[in-house]
Amino acid sequence: MSVASIGSRFDEGAAEWDANPTRVALARAVVEAVCAAVPLRPDMRVLDFGAGTGLVSLGVLPFVAEVTAVDASREMLRVLEEKAKALDAGRLDTLQGDVAEVPLPGGHFDLAVSSMTMHHLPDVPHVLRRLRPALRPGGWIALADLDAEDGSFHADKTGVYHFGFARETLCRWLEACGFAQVSCREAHRFDKLGADGVTRTYSVFLATGRAAP
């Protein structure tokens, strides 16, 4: 599935995206986990990829200097821009595109963060290899996604390439890409009704690491 197709799919739900309380609670938990794991500073530049409507971007923004939000969906970013304007959040930029391809400035960011994005990436290690040189020496990466699940999380599996991840796999990928101090911890746990009518409990982890100097 092409990035354009994925972007169009998320365009359709952008206007109502933030109306889902489970989604909002998840984003809030991810922001709290990032703040607990990464020593945020008011001079930091942050890249949020797969930013969507900016639930994580706007949650992190008060603690840092600026956030660049990247997403394949133009409508998701439009919603984010409207929210940022209403909040007078002037330190946020948006960039439409695929994080696997969009040009990223070298040595620019102090933190790369994402929430529930990696399972939509066909080649996660490729993206990690692209992110590493975009970080300053000693910069952080913080990735939140589903723990490995049985495929029941998404009723529509279009554009879903992974049914969550084993934490040790993410840690191994990060280390192979030059990240140190790699660790994983649980960020959130919640119940969700599946398409089969069965409610299951899903957990989301946060994997973090630092770009070696």
Side-chain angles (χ1 to χ4, degrees):
M1 187 177 188
S2 69
V3 171
S5 298
I6 294 174
S8 296
R9 174 172 174 259
F10 281 99
D11 282 345
E12 297 171 3
E16 303 299 325
W17 192 259
D18 293 2
N20 184 324
T22 300
R23 187 174 290 138
V24 173
L26 169 56
R28 185 179 301 116
V30 168
V31 170
E32 291 175 355
V34 170
C35 290
V38 179
L40 300 181
R41 306 185 314 270
D43 63 339
M44 293 178 80
R45 295 173 175 172
V46 177
L47 172 70
D48 180 7
F49 65 94
T53 61
L55 291 171
V56 170
S57 293
L58 294 176
V60 170
L61 185 57
F63 306 103
V64 300
E66 62 183 59
V67 174
T68 299
V70 179
D71 200 273
S73 167
R74 177 65 259 170
E75 283 302 302
M76 286 283 195
L77 293 178
R78 184 187 62 78
V79 172
L80 169 54
E81 289 163 357
E82 290 179 352
K83 291 196 298 182
K85 183 178 180 180
L87 294 170
D88 194 24
R91 300 165 295 164
L92 184 138
D93 295 316
T94 60
L95 178 61
Q96 183 184 7
D98 179 1
V99 69
E101 299 177 357
V102 69
L104 298 173
H108 182 78
F109 298 103
D110 300 286
L111 168 65
V113 65
S114 78
S115 177
M116 302 295 279
T117 297
M118 290 187 299
H119 60 259
H120 292 295
L121 302 176
D123 189 346
V124 175
H126 168 69
V127 171
L128 298 181
R129 288 191 295 270
R130 296 198 75 237
L131 291 171
R132 170 61 186 82
L135 292 171
R136 293 177 177 176
W140 289 84
I141 191 165
L143 308 171
D145 215 300
L146 289 164
D147 280 301
E149 48 99 7
D150 60 3
S152 60
F153 184 82
H154 293 90
D156 179 1
K157 295 177 176 55
T158 306
V160 176
Y161 295 97
H162 311 274
F163 296 153
F165 300 90
R167 298 184 189 187
E168 56 269 25
T169 299
L170 252 296
C171 288
R172 188 169 62 250
W173 286 346
L174 285 167
E175 289 169 348
C177 292
F179 290 95
Q181 302 177 32
V182 173
S183 66
C184 281
R185 71 207 72 193
E186 185 170 296
H188 191 50
R189 185 176 290 267
F190 60 100
D191 294 334
K192 182 175 183 291
L193 181 66
D196 57 1
V198 176
T199 297
R200 296 175 176 84
T201 300
Y202 299 93
S203 58
V204 172
F205 65 87
L206 181 73
T208 57
R210 294 193 76 180

